[in-house]
Amino acid sequence: MGNKTIQVICMNLQAVGQFCLRHGVAAEALELSRETEKLLFEMREGLAGRPSSLYMIPTYLSGDPVYGTGECAIVMDAGGTNFRIAAVTFEAGGGVRVEGFRKAPMPGTHGAISCDAFFDCIAEFIRDYQEHSDRVGFCFSFPTEILPNRDGRILGFSKEVEVPDAAGRLIGEGVNAALARMGIAPKRFSILNDTVAAMLCGIGEADRAYDGYIGFILGTGTNTCYLERREEIGKIGGGRGSMAVNMESGCYSGFPQGDFDRALDAASQNPGDHLAEKMLGGVYLGELISRALHAAAAEGLFSEAVRCALPEERYYTMPEISAFLAGEGPLADLCGTESDREVLTALIRNFMDRAARITAVTFAAILQKTGQGKDPARPVSILAEGTTFYRAPFFREYLDRYLEEYLAGELGFHCEIRSAEDATLIGTAVAALCQE
């Protein structure tokens, strides 16, 4: 590589860095220690029941679920895009059997529906599984207040799911009413979040000693769960032992936003809500990068050919962005010169770096709150789920660096990223059959 080529690359990287700073989205502007302290403060406020952008929802599930062999639960998973249902049985000897797995579009993703219509849809799914069990574990990946009887009160929807009258409705109660209209006996519901399910699966499948447990989702959206001492959960009056707390970390509003974050938020279905999720969730990252691409082209960072050929208000998806990095797809066709490719790659790297910093800050705040993971021989388990976490370009490269340099090197906390097959389904079944 000649000196002239190296000089051009450095100029491009410098131009992208200045562009990101000018628009308030530069990854390096998200200072790790400062943002960790801000997030930690919001966690404590939320646990105490004081105003906070973090819901810090008690789940009434401990880290020691108990279920008997041979028991079966109906398991449902309502995510950002798909609805899944199956019957899960814990067999003698420790095996897990998943039967009748079915996937369908998430109700409310193809136009607004009423909450009663939403409950009717869920009841229709249960109809074919009603004979398997009277217990239902419902992994409901939207803000929900969990009640002591493990039913859940909907706080709202996100991820572009439209059920406008859902706030305040009880999930188990509403679905049981729909089942009654079908002549089906009521079920015993355990409502939980996908992060809680992931964490419960991580506890159940732990093959070594861990000092603590975290569940983390980064797919269409994002959220985090961890085990907290009950005495620290002031909003429920404290207590003894531990309890899983659903942070609803995607709702956090403290991370510094830039021009493209604010524009995306204003154009979304829920302006002002789920601000952190809109900075790193897979359904939003492509649009953020696309908005930066349009602005960078208008400001002369790309060639005239790109500026003229770029479709107006065209937002590219994360799969299209990943295809570009492999030299394929519409973005690869658009960026025909090496300089254009370098500029777009640098923009993508910046947003992935920022997403990794947000993730590292979230983990750091939890570990500082609990004090767990100080011994490298007993790290904290982080059961991570989601296509964005595992497939987004450059994300793990940056995250692994911050886990090593910031969490371990600077703060002295150690964690281990883990994955598990069917983690959400298995963890949800554990919750349904838990005796607590």
Side-chain angles (χ1 to χ4, degrees):
M1 185 180 295
N3 290 336
K4 186 176 181 180
T5 302
I6 294 174
Q7 185 178 17
V8 170
I9 293 173
C10 290
M11 289 176 61
N12 285 337
L13 293 177
Q14 184 179 28
V16 171
Q18 292 172 346
F19 169 85
C20 291
L21 283 170
R22 189 162 62 248
H23 287 279
V25 295
E28 61 266 26
L30 199 148
E31 202 279 317
L32 296 171
S33 59
R34 180 178 66 244
E35 297 304 326
T36 299
E37 288 303 314
K38 288 165 55 181
L39 182 60
L40 183 57
F41 174 81
E42 290 273 304
M43 289 175 63
R44 288 176 171 142
E45 294 297 285
L47 287 170
R50 294 188 288 266
S52 172
S53 61
L54 291 170
Y55 287 67
M56 305 303 290
I57 300 170
T59 65
Y60 299 94
L61 290 164
S62 74
D64 303 303
V66 179
Y67 50 87
T69 58
E71 292 191 84
C72 177
I74 301 169
V75 172
M76 302 186 298
D77 177 18
T81 305
N82 296 310
F83 179 90
R84 303 189 297 167
I85 185 169
V88 177
T89 302
F90 293 96
E91 299 178 310
V96 179
R97 186 172 73 251
V98 179
E99 299 175 283
F101 177 83
R102 180 184 172 192
K103 182 169 70 174
M106 177 69 183
T109 54
H110 297 294
I113 61 173
S114 70
C115 194
D116 285 334
F118 179 81
F119 290 147
D120 286 339
C121 289
I122 303 306
E124 284 289 348
F125 284 117
I126 292 176
R127 182 199 295 270
D128 295 334
Y129 296 79
Q130 58 174 308
E131 300 300 328
H132 284 274
S133 178
D134 65 347
R135 291 178 178 245
V136 177
F138 194 177
C139 182
F140 191 73
S141 302
F142 304 91
T144 306
E145 177 191 359
I146 304 301
L147 307 182
N149 67 354
R150 297 195 204 147
D151 201 349
R153 179 177 289 111
I154 301 171
L155 300 177
F157 278 87
S158 60
K159 308 172 192 174
E160 312 306 305
V161 176
E162 297 184 77
V163 188
D165 63 336
R169 299 290 299 275
L170 295 178
I171 299 168
E173 179 181 284
V175 176
N176 271 331
L179 288 172
R181 291 192 291 272
M182 299 176 182
I184 298 173
K187 302 294 183 181
R188 180 175 174 182
F189 282 83
S190 292
I191 311 298
L192 68 161
N193 191 274
D194 51 358
T195 53
V196 181
M199 191 194 71
L200 289 175
C201 179
I203 294 173
E205 297 200 354
D207 56 1
R208 59 172 292 185
Y210 291 101
D211 197 26
Y213 294 89
I214 294 172
F216 181 67
I217 305 295
L218 182 55
T220 303
T222 189
N223 194 15
T224 318
C225 162
Y226 74 104
L227 278 179
E228 180 60 271
R229 297 186 303 276
R230 291 184 187 228
E231 64 193 53
E232 294 290 313
I233 312 175
K235 64 171 65 178
I236 64 169
R240 301 181 64 181
S242 61
M243 181 185 291
V245 172
N246 168 19
M247 293 175 63
E248 288 297 337
S249 57
C251 296
Y252 179 62
S253 62
F255 292 120
Q257 288 195 306
D259 296 339
F260 312 123
D261 302 303
R262 287 187 286 270
L264 181 151
D265 176 53
S268 69
Q269 295 283 353
N270 53 344
D273 191 18
H274 280 75
L275 296 184
E277 182 168 276
K278 291 170 183 172
M279 298 173 77
L280 72 160
V283 73
Y284 300 109
L285 272 173
E287 181 177 338
L288 279 178
I289 294 169
S290 299
R291 288 180 179 275
L293 166 62
H294 281 276
E299 295 177 26
L301 273 71
F302 289 92
S303 67
E304 184 69 11
V306 169
R307 189 183 69 81
C308 294
L310 183 61
E312 187 176 352
E313 296 185 359
R314 166 72 153 91
Y315 298 147
Y316 297 91
T317 64
M318 282 308 300
E320 288 175 318
I321 289 168
S322 296
F324 157 75
L325 294 167
E328 303 170 352
L331 281 170
D333 295 337
L334 179 71
C335 297
T337 69
E338 186 64 28
S339 178
D340 287 334
R341 288 191 289 272
E342 288 167 0
V343 170
L344 181 52
T345 300
L347 282 174
I348 295 167
R349 277 190 170 275
N350 176 79
F351 283 97
M352 292 304 163
D353 186 353
R354 191 179 69 158
R357 285 172 180 256
I358 290 172
T359 303
V361 163
T362 303
F363 295 160
I366 293 171
L367 297 183
Q368 286 198 328
K369 178 67 182 67
T370 63
Q372 296 170 332
K374 284 289 190 178
D375 182 355
R378 298 184 72 248
V380 169
S381 162
I382 301 177
L383 200 296
E385 287 269 281
T387 54
T388 304
F389 187 91
Y390 289 106
R391 297 182 187 176
F394 310 125
F395 175 80
R396 284 298 301 275
E397 170 190 333
Y398 288 114
L399 178 62
D400 290 345
R401 177 195 302 175
Y402 297 131
L403 295 184
E404 180 179 351
E405 295 178 358
Y406 177 53
L407 267 74
E410 185 175 333
L411 301 180
F413 291 111
H414 304 273
C415 55
E416 180 180 310
I417 303 293
R418 302 169 58 211
S419 62
E421 188 175 355
D422 294 326
T424 301
L425 290 176
I426 293 171
T428 302
V430 170
L433 299 172
C434 178
Q435 300 300 311
E436 185 183 352

